[in-house]
Amino acid sequence: MSRAALLVLADGRFPAGGHAHSGGAEAAVRAGRITDAPSLEEFCRGRLHTGGAVTAALAAAAALDADPGELDRAADARTPSPALRAAARRLGRQLMRAARATWPHPELDALARRFPKGAHQPVVLGLAARAAGLGPEDAAYCSAYEGVSGPATAVVRLLSLDPFDATAVLARLAPEVDRVVQDAVDVARRAVSEGPDVLPARSAPLLETGAEAHATWPVRLFAS
Amino acid sequence: MHLDHHHDGPAAVSADAHRPDGTRRALRIGLGGPVGSGKTATVAALCRALREELSLAVVTNDIYTREDAEFLLREAVLPPERISAVETGACPHTAIRDDISANLEAVEDLEDEVGPLDLVLVESGGDNLTATFSKGLVDAQIFVIDVAGGDDIPRKGGPGVSTADLLVVNKTDLAPYVGSDLARMAADAKAQRGELPVVLQSLRSEDGVRDVADWVRARLAAWTA
Amino acid sequence: MTTPGGVRATARIVARGDGRGGTSLPVLEGEGPLALRRTRGSGAEARVMLVGAMSGPLGGDHFTVDARAEQGAGLRVGSAAATLALPGQDKAAARYDVRLSVADGAELHWLPEQLISAHGSDLYVGTRVDLAATARLVLREEQVLGRTGEEPGRLTSRLTVRIAGRCVLDQELACGPGAPGGWDGPAGLAGHRAVGQAVVARPEFAADPPTARMLGQDAAVMPLAGPAALVTAVAPDAQRLRRLLDEALASFV
């Protein structure tokens, strides 16, 4: 296993479409709920412990070879917002393209055939990690980290926030990312034997309603 | 370019010349250039000039709205199902160069839904002089500048001006009013671009897009040869 | 964890089509603090009221309500008053399980009053709904964080809905002291003290799903990946939350 492969997959410049999504930050900025670095930090913390915990567990379970179809259904059930389901599938499709070009693997081909319009992104991420020779912990780290780094990058653009402040937010969240990842891997191992119902289902109400509001805007910078 | 193989499954990658079913995909031409230089107007004119002879579609990359796509829809240059808008997260140059996945997806969806297509025009959002298209996304690119943006733009160069497959200097009809020296722009462009072609156009004149349309036809002939 | 010292109580409701266009209640069993009363129904529907004989659950208690609408039944369940989660004597957590099942052709309206999480309380609520393929459901749940002016207790609420065995909604909300970080931040509740969900499931949604829409700033109707829709709403207080959810539910008629 190559540690450097993790850096390739986790790199914010990995060309998988993430740059066009704010992870809900654009809606929260418009609602006046993110105004500065401290409110960005609380937003990211909330996202990490809800949607982040869910996607990290899904990614880890996919990396452990749990059935991707079942995981995709579990992701659907945990994503009531149709705007967020559409964004997750779009990002899954884009990640699939990048992953197949980067780490060609029959499992990725099979998933692409099964979901031509895209599986949920964390499911694809877990299989991409497998294809890259990485493990469940690596997949969970990628998922949990991009769940907070995406909004932080977006808020730098949306509020012209000092990029050093945004990066410091990510550094302060690092110990919590570690804990979320550990929990995700533990529960993913259980999901492999007990089924996806044991996966976490934590939700953040304003992320869902915010995503639905965002989807109705005629003018916006980010796709979600 | 990988001309000899195609990938298994629906999502072919990047610049493959074939679609997953083995058929040859459409030629993709990118149009980039600064804000207001006339990219969308050129796309609209190209659609009107070529739509009777070719099966074509357009992908727009707007900065923060779907305005360019909506302009094309309003002008009815193509049926709505042949126009697709990509959202770019405030960075249109990222979407056409560094991370082209959303654009590739839009192109593929157009080929699946309204294909077979001969030509896809990919329009960048207005950006700076360094914004160029990835070779993984387009087969050729047109860079559109205009005389009102300053007649020193060709001299200043930059990747768009010096390396685009075609440089279009637009709005030549405005040159006398903005004090731009067309001869100097052409000479500077020649100096920057060597043998690469330059078209000076005014879309206000009858058939103003003819030179660009002819260039597109020649690229298409080479692509399908 | 609940403790042996707490109260364990289970209430059971079984509703069944009586074959004459009405609904009978062959099982209507309350226990301890969970009392049940049949109230006047209308038309084919039977109505049951949950009557809390005491406020609860307290820390350490474990309540279960099990309601089944069998073939042909129309059942509407409400509660006489809000449920108040209070701290127990030994700091133990309380647990409240709601199990709802609706058979083919049957319909359940589950519309209890709010759940109020009082300061110092610690409650886990698990609501599990199993619907047959042609079952119909209207469900409303509201969580109020603290009595007026009071800091909330800890509340974790998980709602799962299965239709024909397939999970279409699995959602957990955790809030209050000790909940994972950021629960009251810009992604979670942002200072709102009332949050609620409504679920509407109908077989005809499979062919004709409801459209996603916003109700004001912070409430949305969201079609699920299955023949059901979720309404999620946050509001400053219980009254405004109720108005939002009822407005949303009324729009489904």
Side-chain angles (χ1 to χ4, degrees), chain A residues 4 26 85 88 90 156 165 176 185-187 194 203 209 222:
Chain A
E26 187 170 26
R85 288 199 299 277
R90 170 166 292 184
V156 168
D165 289 344
E176 287 174 71
V185 173
D186 291 346
V187 76
E194 297 171 41
S203 66
T209 56
F222 290 88

Side-chain angles (χ1 to χ4, degrees), chain B residues 30-50:
Chain B
L31 288 98
V35 175
S37 63
K39 292 180 298 300
T40 309
T42 302
V43 167
L46 279 174
C47 289
R48 290 192 192 99
L50 299 170

Side-chain angles (χ1 to χ4, degrees), chain A:
Chain A
M1 178 175 99
S2 162
R3 275 285 134 193
L6 173 59
L7 299 180
V8 175
L9 184 59
D11 193 333
R13 287 162 295 188
F14 190 75
H19 70 93
H21 295 258
S22 78
E26 187 170 26
V29 166
R30 173 83 70 94
R33 291 180 181 132
I34 299 177
T35 55
D36 53 13
S39 49
L40 169 65
E41 181 167 339
E42 272 306 279
F43 176 87
C44 289
R45 182 171 281 116
R47 195 170 195 276
L48 171 68
H49 289 291
T50 54
V54 174
T55 61
L58 286 164
L64 285 166
D65 205 18
D67 177 64
E70 280 189 19
L71 293 177
D72 191 75
R73 279 196 294 278
D76 259 352
R78 287 159 176 76
T79 317
S81 156
L84 290 180
R85 288 199 299 277
R89 290 193 184 283
R90 170 166 292 184
L91 285 168
R93 183 178 171 190
Q94 292 175 213
L95 174 59
M96 174 61 82
R97 180 193 304 279
R100 288 173 83 192
T102 311
W103 298 287
H105 195 286
E107 287 180 6
L108 289 173
D109 295 341
L111 189 67
R113 272 195 303 274
R114 193 163 165 188
F115 294 95
K117 295 289 177 191
H120 276 263
Q121 193 267 3
V123 180
V124 181
L125 179 60
L127 280 187
R130 275 173 73 79
L134 297 167
E137 193 175 42
D138 302 313
Y141 262 111
C142 286
S143 187
Y145 180 70
E146 79 187 5
V148 291
S149 65
T153 307
V155 169
V156 168
R157 294 187 207 162
L158 289 162
L159 289 179
S160 302
L161 190 70
D162 184 333
F164 298 118
D165 289 344
T167 304
V169 163
L170 296 177
R172 279 197 293 278
L173 288 169
E176 287 174 71
V177 172
D178 291 337
R179 284 199 294 280
V180 165
V181 165
Q182 209 41 64
D183 289 348
V185 173
D186 291 346
V187 76
R189 289 192 196 287
R190 280 181 56 210
V192 169
S193 52
E194 297 171 41
D197 284 357
V198 302
L199 292 170
R202 279 197 226 121
S203 66
L206 289 175
L207 281 184
E208 285 159 26
T209 56
E212 290 302 306
H214 185 271
T216 67
W217 299 354
V219 175
R220 60 192 185 212
L221 284 175
F222 290 88
S224 77

